[in-house]
């Protein structure tokens, strides 16, 4: 049986529990071979004794014997104290700490686990794959046997890993004789001899058996199976405790993420065995599915938008199927949608993804559910994945943006003109160095930062270009912080060489520093606070989060966007910060080989959630250079 291979890796404490006390000579740790220093210490000790005896004989000839012995004792104590100080004698207490060995159980909850491998003609109630897993966890002694020796941690995985339950080790848990359901009792020596005794044993079993709704916890909903990523997660999560093994329960189909072979190699290096329990049939299946649906989250009445579905099939290569696009209001029940378009496509090879696109023009504001459905053949093994839906918010409202800048930089003018020409935007500006009556391409020109909730809370986003935040009083600083944290405001902050170095040292503006996702340098000089106006461009190196972030895409896909960014020569300056904050997401760094902390390059783009809102940091105002590409 699989459980017999998992070793118990707990540590055993000593009986007293108080630890073991030892005394060590710290000076000896400096030597690989202690024989020579021990000999020198012995010689030194003998020399001290000889010196004390010589001084005693010389200085006490005219003194009484008692006074001479006192002086000799004092000299000996002083010299011995110097010797002890030199040797560095240390008292160490060693305690043994008990860590129960851990077993990680990973259960696949991707949509393929909802498939049934029973023959419907012979079985009127076919069970899905996940039903078989639930049955094993509820009625077989899998978890019970594991808990006799280990802490058991059950997690579900699809595209992510989510813990389900952690069950502590219980060495007294034993299967009740004659009960295959996995019920347990706390006393393995109790043998039911009468109905009353049997009832007591069953009661104890119910008290020990975990009360978990496995069917609800393991409901298959995931659209991806990232087995390799799930194994990596478990190895990292339990890296500081003895991990006795990882048990994977899956149908074995991976369609995204890191290859399991890499995680298996890491587990082998860490000495962690991985056991697999396969679920499902080895026979090839026929299935037609909508693997994904892309619908714009927001649109405006009269806009032309694309709704794209992705069809994936197994066993239907070359077949033609009809695909229908439906729409319903968000308040309407599922299945009540109206057909608005349809298309006929040809299925590709097994596993090949075929896109189908529909161009639509929303006509009225509201929140709508768009659904793509396939007219699947009758022999499709899993009709549950023949459709997919997504929500679109059709709004007849402009986004309110406030641009704050200490001066009319090129980045400020570039963004101001772009937003002012966008009919979906309403742009107000606060140019802190502007003269009264100066014209700006904006809807409203502000003379000072908003100082009331009514004025500030009308904005959806604030973009700040090297602002002089010192012009804000304590009330305005508090208001801005609350706007981000409580009203889900979005702040885009761009530092600069003029004012940033001054306000970041201001005690009155500590809350503004809290908003930023980076930690600023706190030096008394202005040296190295910024690298601006260089002669050579520094390329941007995007982290994984930056490559995946769609708001940084310069094209319609991640691959095309990465190609476009690769043609961007880079930036000529950036504000030098200390590091990103814990919990912040770094999207891009500056490839400046002469800067950075340790092996990390300087942060250029970073973001963080702050309360209900978000803050994005951009190291300098140079995105206007993107217009060249």
């Amino acid at each position: 049986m699989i459980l017999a291979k998992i070793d118990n890796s707990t540590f055993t404490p000593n009986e007293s529990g108080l630890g073991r006390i030892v005394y060590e000579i710290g000076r000896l740790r400096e030597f690989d071979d202690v024989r020579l220093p021990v000999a020198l210490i012995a010689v030194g000790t003998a020399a001290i004794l000889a010196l004390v005896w010589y001084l005693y004989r010389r200085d006490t000839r005219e003194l009484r014997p008692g006074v001479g012995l006192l002086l000799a004792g004092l000299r000996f104590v002083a010299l011995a104290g110097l010797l002890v100080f030199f040797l560095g004698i240390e008292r160490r207490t060693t305690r043994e700490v008990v860590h129960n060995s851990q077993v990680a159980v990973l259960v696949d909850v991707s949509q393929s686990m909802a498939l049934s491998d029973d023959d419907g003609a012979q079985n009127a109630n076919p069970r899905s794959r996940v039903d078989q897993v639930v049955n094993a966890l509820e009625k077989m002694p899998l978890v019970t046997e594991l808990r006799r020796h280990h802490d058991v941690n059950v997690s579900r995985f699809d595209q992510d890993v989510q813990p389900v339950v952690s069950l502590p080790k219980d060495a007294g848990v034993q299967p009740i004789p004659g009960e295959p359901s996995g019920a347990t009792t706390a006393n393995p020596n109790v043998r039911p001899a009468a109905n009353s005794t049997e009832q007591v044993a069953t009661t104890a079993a119910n008290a020990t058996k975990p009360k978990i709704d496995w069917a609800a916890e393991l409901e298959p909903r995931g659209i991806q199976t990232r087995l390799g990523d799930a194994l990596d997660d478990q190895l990292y999560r339990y890296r500081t405790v003895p991990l006795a093994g990882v048990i994977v329960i899956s149908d074995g189909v991976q369609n995204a993420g890191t290859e399991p072979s890499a995680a298996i190699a890491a587990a082998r290096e860490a000495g962690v065995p991985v056991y697999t329990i396969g679920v499902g049939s080895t026979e090839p299946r026929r299935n037609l599915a909508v693997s994904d649906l892309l619908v714009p989250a927001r649109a405006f009445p009269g806009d032309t938008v694309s709704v794209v579905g992705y069809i994936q099939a197994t066993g239907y290569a070359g077949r033609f199927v009809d695909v229908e696009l439906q729409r319903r209001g968000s308040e309407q029940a599922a299945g009540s949608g109206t057909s608005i378009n349809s298309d006929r496509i040809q299925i590709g090879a097994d596993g090949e993804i075929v896109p189908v696109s529909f161009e639509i023009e929303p006509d009225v504001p509201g929140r709508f559910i768009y659904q793509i459905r396939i007219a699947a053949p009758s022999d499709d093994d899993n009709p549950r994945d023949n459709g997919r839906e997504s929500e679109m918010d059709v709004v007849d409202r402009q986004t309110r943006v406030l641009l704050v800048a200490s001066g009319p930089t090129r980045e400020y003018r570039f963004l101001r003109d772009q937003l002012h020409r966008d009919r979906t935007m309403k742009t107000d500006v606060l140019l802190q160095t502007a003269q009264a009556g100066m014209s700006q391409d904006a809807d409203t020109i502000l003379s000072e930062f908003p100082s009331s909730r009514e004025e500030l809370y009308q904005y959806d986003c604030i973009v700040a270009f090297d602002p002089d935040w010192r012009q804000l009083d304590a009330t305005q600083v508090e208001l801005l912080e609350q706007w981000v944290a409580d009203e889900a405001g979005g702040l885009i902050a761009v530092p600069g060489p003029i004012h940033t170095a001054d306000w970041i040292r201001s005690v009155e503006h500590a809350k503004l520093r809290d908003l930023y996702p980076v930690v600023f340098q706190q030096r008394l000089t202005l040296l190295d606070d910024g690298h601006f106006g260089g002669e050579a461009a520094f390329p941007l190196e995007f982290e994984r989060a930056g490559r995946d972030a769609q708001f940084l895409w310069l094209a319609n896909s991640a691959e095309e966007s990465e190609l476009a960014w690769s043609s961007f020569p880079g930036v000529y300056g950036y504000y030098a910060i200390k590091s990103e904050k814990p919990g912040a997401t770094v999207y891009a760094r500056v490839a400046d080989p002469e800067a950075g902390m340790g092996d990390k390059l300087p942060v250029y783009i970073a973001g963080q959630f702050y309360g209900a809102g978000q803050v994005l940091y951009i190291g300098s105002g140079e995105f206007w250079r993107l217009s060249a590409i």
Side-chain angles (χ1 to χ4, degrees):
M1 187 177 182
I2 182 174
L3 305 180
K5 300 180 180 179
I6 302 181
D7 297 324
N8 186 4
S9 303
T10 58
F11 298 104
T12 303
N14 55 26
E15 294 182 359
S16 64
L18 298 178
R20 182 167 55 92
I21 298 175
V22 296
Y23 292 89
E24 298 178 351
I25 299 177
R27 184 71 65 177
L28 295 180
R29 288 201 298 269
E30 300 177 3
F31 302 92
D32 295 329
D33 189 352
V34 298
R35 289 177 294 180
L36 177 60
V38 167
L40 293 176
I41 292 172
V43 172
T45 303
I48 291 175
L49 292 173
L51 178 62
V52 171
W53 176 253
Y54 168 75
L55 294 175
Y56 168 75
R57 297 283 294 176
R58 189 192 68 177
D59 297 339
T60 60
R61 292 174 182 176
E62 299 179 358
L63 299 177
R64 289 179 296 178
V67 176
L69 290 175
L70 176 62
L71 291 177
L74 292 175
R75 285 173 177 152
F76 179 77
V77 170
L79 293 174
L82 292 175
L83 179 62
V84 170
F85 178 78
F86 171 77
L87 295 178
I89 297 178
E90 300 174 349
R91 179 179 184 270
R92 292 180 175 271
T93 302
T94 303
R95 292 185 176 89
E96 294 179 339
V97 180
V98 178
H99 290 286
N100 286 344
S101 60
Q102 308 288 314
V103 170
V105 180
L106 284 171
V107 181
D108 186 357
V109 291
S110 60
Q111 290 182 352
S112 62
M113 292 292 289
L115 299 177
S116 172
D117 298 289
D118 294 333
D119 188 353
Q122 300 178 1
N123 192 341
N125 297 307
R127 294 189 306 170
S128 66
R129 297 172 180 175
V130 76
D131 289 338
Q132 299 177 46
V133 176
V134 169
N135 181 72
L137 293 175
E138 289 181 342
K139 299 183 178 181
M140 295 184 181
L142 173 64
V143 175
T144 302
E145 290 290 339
L146 288 172
R147 290 184 65 197
R148 292 176 57 191
H149 304 284
H150 317 276
D151 290 347
V152 179
N153 306 281
V154 183
S155 301
R156 49 179 291 152
F157 78 95
D158 39 38
Q159 58 265 29
D160 299 307
V161 181
Q162 297 176 338
V164 174
V165 65
S166 293
L167 303 172
K169 175 184 174 182
D170 190 347
V173 175
Q174 296 284 349
I176 293 180
E179 182 146 338
S181 63
T184 57
T185 178
N187 187 355
N189 298 320
V190 174
R191 297 178 61 85
N195 292 336
S196 60
T197 308
E198 184 175 358
Q199 184 176 1
V200 171
T202 305
T203 303
N206 292 334
T208 308
K209 187 178 179 180
K211 304 296 182 183
I212 305 169
D213 187 354
W214 292 111
E217 294 289 349
L218 303 179
E219 181 182 357
R221 295 188 296 266
I223 61 174
Q224 294 179 343
T225 304
R226 295 177 175 261
L227 177 55
D229 293 341
L231 288 172
D232 280 337
D233 176 88
Q234 299 298 287
L235 294 175
Y236 180 80
R237 186 186 300 269
Y238 301 106
R239 67 191 185 281
T240 60
V241 296
L243 183 58
V246 180
I247 299 176
V248 180
I249 306 177
S250 173
D251 58 8
V253 178
Q254 166 154 316
N255 54 17
T258 307
E259 284 296 323
S261 57
I264 294 295
R268 183 180 296 111
E269 182 178 352
V272 177
V274 177
Y275 305 94
T276 58
I277 299 178
V279 183
S281 172
T282 58
E283 297 296 326
R285 304 188 58 83
R286 298 170 65 85
N287 185 42
L288 193 61
V290 181
S291 62
D292 201 1
L293 174 62
L294 300 183
V295 176
R298 188 175 68 169
F300 295 88
D303 283 353
T304 300
V305 297
S306 295
V307 175
V308 183
Y310 295 93
I311 314 302
Q312 190 174 25
T314 302
Y316 294 105
R319 293 272 297 267
F320 286 88
V321 296
D322 294 322
V323 182
E324 183 182 34
L325 176 64
Q326 299 179 352
R327 185 186 74 173
R328 73 175 191 274
S330 59
E331 71 284 352
Q332 294 179 294
S336 60
T338 302
S339 177
I340 59 175
N341 209 337
S342 63
D343 196 3
R344 187 173 179 83
I345 63 170
Q346 185 176 18
I347 302 300
D350 288 354
E352 180 182 349
I353 296 177
V354 179
V356 54
S357 178
F358 299 97
E359 301 291 331
I360 61 173
E361 292 185 7
D363 50 359
V364 295
R367 185 166 294 178
F368 299 95
I369 305 295
Y370 287 86
Q371 182 185 48
I372 280 185
R373 289 204 60 83
I374 311 172
S378 58
D379 58 350
D380 185 3
D381 288 326
N382 183 27
R384 300 184 212 179
D385 57 9
N386 294 155
R388 190 176 289 273
E389 60 183 29
S390 186
E391 187 176 77
M392 178 191 296
D393 195 10
V394 182
V395 296
D396 193 10
R397 170 187 174 275
Q398 292 177 303
T399 300
R400 296 292 300 270
V401 180
L402 172 61
L403 302 185
V404 181
S406 57
T409 63
R410 188 159 186 173
E411 183 84 335
Y412 159 78
R413 288 178 284 140
F414 173 75
L415 183 59
R416 179 202 60 192
D417 295 344
Q418 291 287 332
L419 297 180
H420 188 60
R421 291 195 293 264
D422 191 336
R423 67 182 181 86
T424 67
M425 300 286 178
K426 183 174 177 61
T427 309
D428 298 346
V429 301
L430 170 58
L431 188 59
Q432 294 176 314
T433 56
Q435 301 291 330
M438 180 178 290
S439 175
Q440 292 285 314
D441 289 333
D443 294 281
T444 304
I445 301 175
L446 279 64
S447 58
E448 63 178 9
F449 194 83
S451 56
S452 67
R453 290 175 177 265
E454 292 74 17
E455 293 174 338
L456 183 61
Y457 284 15
Q458 64 178 318
Y459 295 107
D460 301 299
C461 178
I462 296 177
V463 187
F465 299 96
D466 192 15
D468 185 3
W469 290 126
R470 295 174 300 174
Q471 295 187 14
L472 275 62
D473 58 28
T475 302
Q476 291 171 314
V477 170
E478 180 78 18
L479 192 63
L480 177 58
E481 193 267 345
Q482 292 177 354
W483 172 77
V484 176
D486 301 335
E487 294 298 314
L491 174 64
I492 300 176
V494 183
I498 307 300
H499 297 289
T500 303
D502 295 327
W503 72 261
I504 63 173
R505 295 174 174 84
S506 172
V507 177
E508 292 79 8
H509 298 80
K511 286 190 175 181
L512 291 180
R513 291 196 298 272
D514 293 341
L515 289 175
Y516 283 61
V518 296
V519 179
F520 290 100
Q521 303 280 9
Q522 293 293 330
R523 291 186 290 267
L524 297 178
T525 66
L526 301 182
L527 296 177
D528 297 326
D529 272 342
H531 300 270
F532 294 96
E535 297 182 356
F538 299 112
L540 298 183
E541 289 193 2
F542 284 87
E543 304 277 312
R544 171 66 181 271
R547 294 192 295 270
D548 292 342
Q550 294 191 18
F551 70 88
L552 289 174
W553 285 7
L554 300 181
N556 294 326
S557 67
E559 293 76 13
E560 294 175 345
S561 175
E562 191 170 352
L563 182 62
W565 275 111
S566 65
S567 64
F568 179 58
V571 296
Y572 289 84
Y574 61 92
Y575 197 87
I577 53 92
K578 185 176 181 180
S579 66
E580 67 273 17
K581 287 182 179 176
T585 300
V586 176
Y587 297 102
R589 298 181 183 271
V590 184
D592 183 358
E594 298 182 359
M597 300 293 293
D599 58 346
K600 289 186 177 181
L601 294 172
V603 174
Y604 190 77
I605 306 176
Q608 73 172 0
F609 286 96
Y610 188 91
Q614 297 186 58
V615 180
L616 183 71
Y617 170 88
I618 304 175
S620 64
E622 299 189 59
F623 278 167
W624 60 269
R625 301 183 188 276
L626 289 172
S627 59
I629 61 172

